[in-house]
Amino acid sequence: MRAVFLFLLVSALSVANLAFGASPRTNYLLYCSGCHLPSGVGNPPNVPTLHDELGRMMAVEEMRAYLVQVPGSSQTPLTDADLAAVVNWILQEFNAETLPEGFRPITTGEVSAARQTILADPLKYRIRYWKDYEE
Ligand code: HEC
């Protein structure tokens, strides 16, 4: 039953997507929530949470690109503009409390540039410019 419901939900969202252009929330549900869950809490340590720490990361310039260079982001079928909107939605929806003062939303241009560079080792980059996942 649950599988049928999910199938119908995803089908309905896909049709809405084609007909109207999807909202960032819908794109998050379609392309990210399979791993990060609809609530964004993920399943640590295998799939990280998207709450709170991403907002703090935004105080470090190099970490803006990181959000779209992790494989789940960079390899999504979403366009650069739609991916920028999803990442900004995640920041506003799950990280509003921790975003730095004067935070500038991620632009489509930044996403296009960041997506050209594949991170061989996302964790190494994360530790270099930010820090390891918290225990
Ligand atoms: C197939 C599962 C999967 C999907 C789908 C997925 N992710 Fe992820 N995501 C991960 C995993 C696993 C990590 C941990 C880093 C790594 O190993 O890639 C991660 C890490 C991240 C991080 C970094 C979190 C941190 O604290 O360092 C962000 C941001 C992120 N994902 C965003 C997204 C967005 C946006 C989408 C949808 C467009 C998405 N992910 C889709 C599995 C996924």
Side-chain angles (χ1 to χ4, degrees):
M1 269 315 279
R2 187 153 173 248
V4 172
F5 172 73
L6 281 175
F7 174 76
L8 290 174
L9 176 69
V10 168
S11 307
L13 287 171
S14 304
V15 171
N17 195 353
L18 289 174
F20 309 114
S23 69
R25 180 191 298 272
T26 302
N27 281 334
Y28 174 80
L29 289 174
L30 285 172
Y31 298 106
C32 316
S33 75
C35 297
H36 290 284
L37 302 190
S39 66
V41 298
N43 184 22
N46 299 320
V47 180
T49 175
L50 299 178
H51 285 257
D52 302 332
E53 194 177 5
L54 299 183
R56 283 192 288 275
M57 271 181 205
M58 291 303 93
V60 177
E61 193 63 25
E62 285 81 0
M63 296 308 283
R64 293 171 65 89
Y66 170 79
L67 299 187
V68 292
Q69 284 175 318
V70 286
S73 286
S74 70
Q75 287 165 29
T76 177
L78 290 169
T79 63
D80 294 345
D82 284 344
L83 180 56
V86 168
V87 169
N88 286 319
W89 180 85
I90 289 170
L91 290 171
Q92 294 301 340
E93 190 75 12
F94 302 144
N95 298 271
E97 310 280 293
T98 53
L99 280 173
E101 197 125 334
F103 167 72
R104 295 164 288 119
I106 311 285
T107 64
T108 303
E110 281 179 283
V111 170
S112 307
R115 265 177 138 181
Q116 318 251 322
T117 314
I118 293 168
L119 284 188
D121 189 340
L123 181 59
K124 206 162 152 194
Y125 185 96
R126 192 189 201 275
I127 292 170
R128 177 165 176 208
Y129 292 106
W130 179 246
K131 54 179 105 145
D132 203 346
Y133 290 103
E134 266 141 46
E135 294 298 304

